[in-house]
Amino acid sequence: MNYTRLITDLKRFGVKTDETVTEALAVIHAARDTRNAQPIEDLRAAYSNGDITSANAADRIISAATLAAGSERVHLAAAAVEDGANTTLRRWLGAREEQIVKALRPAFDAAAAGVQLAGRHFAPDVTATQLIAAGSAAVAANEGLEAALSTLARIRSCRVQVADCAGHPEQDVTWYIEGAHDLEHLDVARRAYTGAGDAFHALAHAGFTLRLNTVQEAVKVSHGARGVSDAREAQERQTRIAEARERNAFWLNPTSA
């Protein structure tokens, strides 16, 4: 995972960081600069720039030679420091998963609005001919759709990586929908999300409302769908039991019918 890129993307989408992140990023950049240093080439460039004089030549030569001789160890040491800083960033991100998801939501909602509109008019696999035939509203809805889907994809990438930092590596469609009527409806969402075409466009076309959920909110979506299905199943079971009792009562005492 590229933590520096992830932090950059999160900031772009409105997530605020603190001094812990700033310091960790600075350490990573310093470690990379040290690891990528080329002492002999730098020494040659310093001389060309006039930075090497008779007064400092010996010290600069010894310093460059020392770094060059120990370049392998410098690489190992720099990598160790970068790993440590990455661990700090991973812990910071994991501890703030819910906060980060909520901070990403405005950018997600803004992009999702255009995708919802497009989903009402056409499917992800629509052809140009079909789009035109669908009318001016569909054509208008297609404007800006690519950019909106790109934004949602980038936010989903951020959301998945942050979840991984928090110990939730397996993403689910419930992370991205407002709700489902029941388990059967939730299965429809999962098929749309994992099927062909863009996942968010497919969900919108299937009638789902897009929403960026925290883990707890996603659990509520799942439990809500299960609760409805369980209640319906219980009611159907009670109905079958009542019907069976009526049939049994008739056969045991047919004259009472």
Side-chain angles (χ1 to χ4, degrees), residues 21-184:
V21 173
T22 301
E23 178 63 16
L25 291 176
V27 169
I28 288 173
H29 290 312
R32 289 177 180 176
D33 288 343
T34 303
R35 186 175 57 196
N36 296 331
Q38 298 180 339
I40 304 303
E41 293 300 320
D42 292 344
L43 186 66
R44 183 178 291 110
Y47 180 79
S48 298
N49 294 333
D51 295 331
I52 303 296
T53 66
S54 57
N56 66 14
D59 289 340
R60 296 290 293 270
I61 291 170
I62 293 171
S63 177
T66 301
L67 288 174
S71 61
E72 183 177 346
R73 293 182 179 179
V74 169
H75 278 231
L76 291 174
V81 170
E82 184 173 346
D83 286 346
N86 281 332
T87 297
T88 295
L89 291 177
R90 182 178 183 83
R91 289 173 178 168
W92 187 93
L93 292 164
R96 292 162 178 78
E97 180 189 18
E98 181 175 341
Q99 174 185 333
I100 291 172
V101 170
K102 290 180 179 179
L104 289 170
R105 195 171 286 160
F108 182 93
D109 289 345
V115 178
Q116 295 277 186
L117 180 61
R120 287 197 291 270
H121 290 285
F122 53 87
D125 59 353
V126 67
T127 65
T129 301
Q130 291 170 334
L131 183 64
I132 294 173
S136 58
V139 173
N142 189 55
E143 295 294 329
L145 176 60
E146 185 176 350
L149 290 175
S150 177
T151 296
L152 291 185
R154 288 165 59 197
I155 292 175
R156 176 173 60 179
S157 177
C158 291
R159 201 260 175 273
V160 169
Q161 291 179 78
V162 171
D164 182 73
C165 292
H168 305 123
E170 297 297 328
Q171 64 172 313
D172 186 76
V173 68
T174 55
W175 291 10
Y176 306 109
I177 58 174
E178 188 173 278
H181 304 323
D182 52 28
L183 287 179
E184 184 177 350

